[in-house]
Amino acid sequence: RAGVMEPAWVLAAYQRGFFPWPVDERLAWWCPHERLVFDRPNPHLSRSALRSLRRAGWAVTLDRATPRVITACQQARGPGRDGTWITDEIARTYSELAAQGLVHSCEVWEGEELVGGVYGLSLGRAFFGESMFHARTDASKVAVGVLAAWLDHQGFDLFDGQVENEHLIALGGTLISRDAYLTRLQTSLQAPTVLGPWELELPAEELARRFRAP
């Protein structure tokens, strides 16, 4: 059914390879012919982003402010046809799933100010990236990179970026077929889900050393 955005429905959809993406302001569910994933998972992080992480005085956290990250991603592009795809209904549902320990975020802080972040859903050993934002140059890249390194450290084997775009390709995303994706997904779902709140077990800078700088 199109237009359904309830926690139980969302979880069932992701387990079958679908994710929400509104079309003409109507919620639809997609499982495209090609899927963008980060292998290992371990995206590229540019030297400038690494310098920002090490020199800008940023702190990186997990699950400290997930609803705020969702709201920031929603507001980053504004409303309208060419703006955000994150409807109020989607934001509410993912915040509910965050309270259940199933939606997670990686936040980048400059003092007490939230300057970047990424959020997504996790089931089994799979993480489904939903959206990211930045209020400082490179902050979203740092958030994605630190999160990916943490997932790798925890034994996750699928980091789903969903839809191809230049930004995700630059971070190291690759396209695989729908059949290949669904096979990997079912393998990942066999593992227990790691409920939140998640915490960084290694300092962000140490995690950064795992990155492959292009």
Side-chain angles (χ1 to χ4, degrees):
R1 291 181 294 159
V4 175
M5 182 48 66
E6 301 169 352
W9 177 274
V10 170
L11 297 179
Y14 275 89
Q15 289 168 359
R16 291 163 175 80
F18 289 86
F19 60 87
W21 192 281
V23 177
D24 295 330
E25 300 183 359
R26 186 183 184 208
L27 184 64
W29 293 87
W30 299 86
C31 185
H33 291 291
E34 290 186 310
R35 197 70 161 242
L36 185 137
V37 300
F38 296 107
D39 279 322
R40 285 200 56 226
N42 191 8
H44 295 290
L45 197 63
S46 68
R47 290 182 176 86
S48 66
L50 285 169
R51 285 195 296 270
S52 295
L53 173 62
R54 292 166 176 159
R55 298 177 184 176
W58 289 345
V60 183
T61 58
L62 293 176
D63 287 354
R64 176 176 160 185
T66 304
R68 287 180 61 186
V69 172
I70 295 172
T71 298
C73 290
Q74 183 182 25
Q75 295 175 344
R77 295 182 61 189
R81 182 180 180 89
D82 297 323
T84 183
W85 58 269
I86 304 171
T87 65
D88 290 342
E89 184 182 24
I90 288 175
R92 284 194 299 270
T93 300
Y94 282 76
S95 293
E96 289 180 27
L97 289 167
Q100 297 176 27
L102 294 168
V103 165
H104 308 276
S105 61
C106 183
E107 306 95 6
V108 180
W109 304 87
E110 190 171 278
E112 295 300 313
E113 183 180 1
L114 181 65
V115 297
V118 59
Y119 80 93
L121 175 72
S122 177
L123 293 170
R125 288 195 303 268
F127 182 85
F128 311 91
E130 289 297 319
S131 188
M132 65 186 78
F133 86 98
H134 68 274
R136 300 285 188 276
T137 301
D138 292 329
S140 61
K141 295 178 183 178
V142 167
V144 173
V146 170
L147 174 61
W150 187 88
L151 293 172
D152 189 28
H153 184 66
Q154 296 297 318
F156 281 68
D157 53 22
L158 179 60
F159 188 165
D160 178 12
Q162 299 182 345
V163 179
E164 177 188 10
N165 62 49
E166 292 182 1
H167 183 63
L168 296 181
I169 292 293
L171 285 171
T174 58
L175 291 174
I176 61 175
S177 70
R178 177 164 55 198
D179 287 346
Y181 171 80
L182 292 175
T183 297
R184 289 178 58 174
L185 173 62
Q186 292 309 309
T187 298
S188 297
L189 292 177
Q190 293 175 17
T193 297
V194 182
L195 295 174
W198 289 351
E199 295 182 1
L200 282 173
E201 296 181 2
L202 296 173
E205 188 167 334
E206 185 172 344
L207 285 166
R209 298 192 185 103
R210 298 170 178 263
F211 300 140
R212 303 190 306 270

